[in-house]
Amino acid sequence: MTSKADILLMGPIYQPKLEELESAYACHRYWSSEDPEALVASLSGRCEIAVTNGGRGMSAAEMDMLPKLRLIACFGVGVDAIDLAHARSRGIAVSNTPEVLTEDVADMALALLLAAVRRVAQGDRFVRDGRWKRAGFGITRSLQGRRVGIVGLGRIGRAIARRCEAFNCEIGYFGPNRKDDVDYRYFDDIVALAEWSNALVAACPGGAATNRIVSREALRALGADGIFVNISRGSVVDQPSMVELLVSGALGGAGLDVFDDEPNVPEQLLALDTVALQPHQGSATHPTRTAMGQLVLDNVAAFVAGRALVTPV
Ligand code: 8YV
């Protein structure tokens, strides 16, 4: 009988799929281990596989604790928290979970956009607090006819654009390349996109190439009627400037699923009525998390069987 392959689990994944993984392989939970160093030392001579999630990632130093490491399977499409250059230099393959989460993440972008524009959470609190009995809630902005600027017209950006079309919005986008198969308006400059837009949605990958691309200047250009939505990564926006501009009213509102330094959210945002907040829930539905977990299992199985990965990065 051949022994089960060892897997170092850097962070949690969707519980039912974690259980499947743990029954099929010799899994070792790094994130909840009482002595992670001793755990890794005991595995370093043989462990070839690590499983992580998008937020946790894996650093170069962590990879180097495992000299035999050959695969990092990421539960998440975003691999910005994995040191990809180091993985490449060591010949470690990386897999992620694209496509299966696209529609749910795009839904969350629209939920946040609508929530910020129509003040959905504030209205909910207004009813619950019994304030409706004393006065009407007031009038809000509208999503109808907005110019929505999408930062990053990849799979998720396109899914957001399709939804916005159904809400009678005009679509523009910024990215490294113009896309030939869409007739949305292309901007090769993000500030120009923000100037044209009155809703800006970040849907690009995180990482060095997009660090703070939603700059203070872009947010200022978006303006006092503008809504900023982020379902990508906290790193893509200048968060301190965003908070400052929201507080002053120079930026109209925001719908935010992601932040720098999660789960810490700037105190000032919590007090703002113009902001809709979510605890990084974009892909967090049962069907999508099931499919993401299945892709982790499929990539690990492919690696163990010596086949090509299903969704290599
Ligand atoms: C997850 C994500 O929240 O796919 C991504 O890049 O940010 C999310 O789907 C994360 O990977 C799960 O921890």
Side-chain angles (χ1 to χ4, degrees), residues 12 53-55 75-78 97 101 232-233 280 283 289 292:
N53 63 49
F75 177 80
V77 68
T97 62
L101 45 62
S232 142
R233 286 288 183 268
H280 200 145
S283 69
R289 286 288 165 93
M292 290 165 66

Side-chain angles (χ1 to χ4, degrees), residues 168-183:
N168 304 316
C169 296
E170 237 184 290
I171 314 293
Y173 67 102
F174 162 80
N177 305 301
R178 182 192 296 271
K179 313 278 181 184
D180 294 330
D181 58 339
V182 293
D183 50 19

